């Protein structure tokens, strides 16, 4: 069994419904962390909810380059990132290894703008990850990891637990995660989905993050986008990790400072 588990709900701030489900999942003790989308309609409400005791200090930034409109101007002029109509439309391939100087500057500026919007709404992010895993694209990941280091917060690694990670992908993820850890400093050791948890792949040691997208099943139960319709995320986490302490990413930062 892992020594600690972070059950993180992505997409906080996406909509009023998503906010309600994530708040309920925190209150039920299912999730121990969340990440918020700074350019989404329900973000300001998510920041207010993040002040509640169950959530305080446990909400990070879900850096977004793929959905909605950016918060900065420079990235609007980059055709691999935005449409002519001013909306995100990321056209980088997963194995992209290089950005132009102008693209790098635009991504950095957008990351800074999304972070600042958190601060302006009273939210000090506990950590950094990204929508649709865009920081798993190497040059974007380098930017995000360096920014995480400057802000003194942990970063999510690329998913490294799962049956569907072939040899070539595993080599790439291993190298990427080594670089993210080198640049950012503080991370969890393993990252998986609820489907990986269901397959019995929880690691035997270390800190595990379970990346969740919870949905309401009625009453006090929750499903997840990675599970079959009607399948309980709550029951799965209790069955596989019920005895493992659930923590937020801020605790990793504190451990890093103490070590």
């Amino acid at each position: 069994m892992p020594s600690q588990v972070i059950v993180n709900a992505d997409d906080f701030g996406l909509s009023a419904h998503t906010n309600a489900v994530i708040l309920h999942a925190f209150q039920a003790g299912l999730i121990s962390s969340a990440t918020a989308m700074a350019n989404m309609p329900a973000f300001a409400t998510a920041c207010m909810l993040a002040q509640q005791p169950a959530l305080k200090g446990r909400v990070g930034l879900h850096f977004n380059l793929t959905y909605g409109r950016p918060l900065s101007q420079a990235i609007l002029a980059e055709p691999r990132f935005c449409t002519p109509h001013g909306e995100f439309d990321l056209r980088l391939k997963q194995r992209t290894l290089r950005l132009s100087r102008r693209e790098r500057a635009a991504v950095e500026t957008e990351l800074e703008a999304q972070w600042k919007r958190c601060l302006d709404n009273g939210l000090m992010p506990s950590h950094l990850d990204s929508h649709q895993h865009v920081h798993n694209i190497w040059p974007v990941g380098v930017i995000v990891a360096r920014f995480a280091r400057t802000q003194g917060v942990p970063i999510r690694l690329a998913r490294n637990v799962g049956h569907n990670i072939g040899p070539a992908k595993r080599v790439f993820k291993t190298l990427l995660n080594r670089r993210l850890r080198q640049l950012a400093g503080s991370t969890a050791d393993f990252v998986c989905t609820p489907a990986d948890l269901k397959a019995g792949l929880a690691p035997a040691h270390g800190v595990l993050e379970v990346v969740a997208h919870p949905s309401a099943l009625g009453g006090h139960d929750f499903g997840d986008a990675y599970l079959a319709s009607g399948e309980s995320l709550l029951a799965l986490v209790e069955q596989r990790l019920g005895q493992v302490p659930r923590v937020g990413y801020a605790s990793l930062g504190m451990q890093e400072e103490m070590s």
Side-chain angles (χ1 to χ4, degrees), residues 20-243:
V21 172
I22 289 175
L23 174 62
H24 188 192
F26 265 115
Q27 293 170 335
L30 168 61
I31 63 173
S32 58
S33 177
T35 38
M37 302 175 76
N39 68 328
M40 289 291 104
F43 173 73
T45 302
C47 290
M48 288 189 288
L49 295 174
Q51 304 308 315
Q52 295 196 17
L55 286 70
K56 196 167 182 64
R58 292 174 177 264
V59 177
L61 172 61
H62 198 49
F63 181 45
N64 179 17
L65 291 174
T66 63
Y67 187 53
R69 292 181 175 273
L71 299 182
S72 60
Q73 292 297 310
I75 203 164
L76 293 170
E78 301 304 325
R80 293 206 292 176
F81 290 85
C82 289
T83 70
H85 304 293
E87 295 185 347
F88 281 127
D89 181 24
L90 190 66
R91 299 187 180 192
L92 298 180
K93 294 181 179 179
Q94 190 65 32
R95 294 296 180 260
T96 297
L97 296 178
R98 186 182 297 274
L99 300 178
S100 71
R101 181 181 301 178
R102 202 172 74 172
E103 286 173 331
R104 288 197 305 272
V107 172
E108 290 167 359
T109 300
E110 179 62 22
L111 176 54
E112 290 166 359
Q114 292 186 24
W115 185 271
K116 183 177 184 299
R117 187 157 191 236
C118 292
L119 301 183
D120 289 346
N121 281 270
L123 174 65
M124 175 60 206
S126 59
H127 67 291
L128 268 162
D129 57 34
S130 62
H131 191 52
Q132 298 181 332
H133 313 295
V134 295
H135 79 289
N136 291 181
I137 301 170
W138 191 288
V140 176
V142 167
I143 291 168
V144 175
R146 284 178 172 149
F147 186 81
R149 170 75 78 173
T150 65
Q151 301 302 327
V153 299
I155 188 175
R156 172 188 288 168
L157 294 181
R159 172 175 164 262
N160 54 4
V161 174
H163 283 313
N164 63 339
I165 304 176
K169 185 181 288 187
R170 189 166 294 279
V171 169
F172 177 82
K173 284 174 175 281
T174 299
L175 293 173
L176 174 63
N177 283 343
R178 184 180 302 165
R179 185 63 171 150
L180 294 177
R181 184 178 281 110
Q182 177 189 53
L183 291 172
S186 182
T187 69
D189 300 298
F190 302 97
V191 177
C192 78
T193 69
D196 301 322
L197 205 59
K198 182 181 176 182
L201 299 179
H205 59 88
V207 179
L208 170 68
E209 180 188 356
V210 180
V211 179
H213 296 81
S215 57
L217 286 184
H220 297 288
D221 204 357
F222 303 87
D224 191 87
Y226 289 104
L227 300 177
S229 178
E231 192 169 358
S232 173
L233 176 64
L234 184 61
L236 175 64
V237 172
E238 287 302 315
Q239 178 187 20
R240 300 292 187 181
L241 299 169
Q243 303 305 311

Side-chain angles (χ1 to χ4, degrees), residues 4 6 154 186-188 207 247-257:
Q4 295 177 314
I6 300 164
S186 182
T187 69
V207 179
V247 300
Y249 260 102
S251 66
L252 301 189
M254 288 186 286
Q255 291 172 17
E256 187 78 11
E257 289 174 7

